[in-house]
Amino acid sequence: MPVTLIVRPGRLVVSRLAPGSEPPAPPADGFWCVTRDSHEVSVVSSPEAAPQGSRREGPWRRLEVAGPLDFALTGILAGLAAPLAEAGLPIFVVSTFDTDHLLVREEDLDGAIRALEAAGHRVER
């Protein structure tokens, strides 16, 4: 199923904190996500809002799937991940209630857009 993706401005980093760590307070605006499990605490944020002393990966760029997406839809992420995997491009995915966000390495953004468009998806810059 073809979808529309929107390239969002700004860089992001993915930070890893030790299990049980308290993440920093969220910034006043911008994209920010915290995931906690028994093995780690992950924070996706702008480089400026990243936790001090954390292990970081990035910079990443964010492609937002135009939503909202119904929870009954299936195969959305598979249809996006497959062409990127075939192009050899790693991704990091964050899902919210309404949509999905694909993070691609900043240096891979143009290649990711080409791969997604070749697979029939629409990408808005």
Side-chain angles (χ1 to χ4, degrees):
M1 173 175 145
V3 299
T4 298
L5 297 107
I6 304 157
V7 178
R8 294 299 183 190
R11 295 172 156 178
L12 296 171
V13 294
V14 179
S15 304
R16 182 189 190 283
L17 297 169
S21 296
E22 284 300 317
D29 60 5
F31 190 82
W32 189 78
C33 178
V34 174
T35 306
R36 179 190 315 256
D37 69 13
S38 61
H39 305 288
E40 65 179 293
V41 176
S42 294
V43 179
V44 180
S45 67
S46 68
E48 299 78 27
Q52 294 297 317
S54 61
R55 180 177 157 203
R56 297 179 189 177
E57 290 286 331
W60 298 83
R61 294 295 306 274
R62 179 169 60 107
L63 295 108
E64 178 182 328
V65 178
L69 302 175
D70 189 291
F71 276 89
L73 293 174
T74 60
I76 300 292
L77 281 178
L80 296 169
L84 297 173
E86 289 171 15
L89 303 175
I91 61 172
F92 188 91
V93 179
V94 174
S95 294
T96 64
F97 190 92
D98 285 334
T99 194
D100 297 313
H101 304 267
L102 275 73
L103 277 58
V104 298
R105 294 191 185 280
E106 185 171 55
E107 66 267 17
D108 294 337
L109 180 61
D110 291 334
I113 291 171
R114 284 191 300 274
L116 290 164
E117 289 177 335
H121 302 292
R122 182 169 174 248
V123 181
E124 297 177 0
R125 286 188 179 251

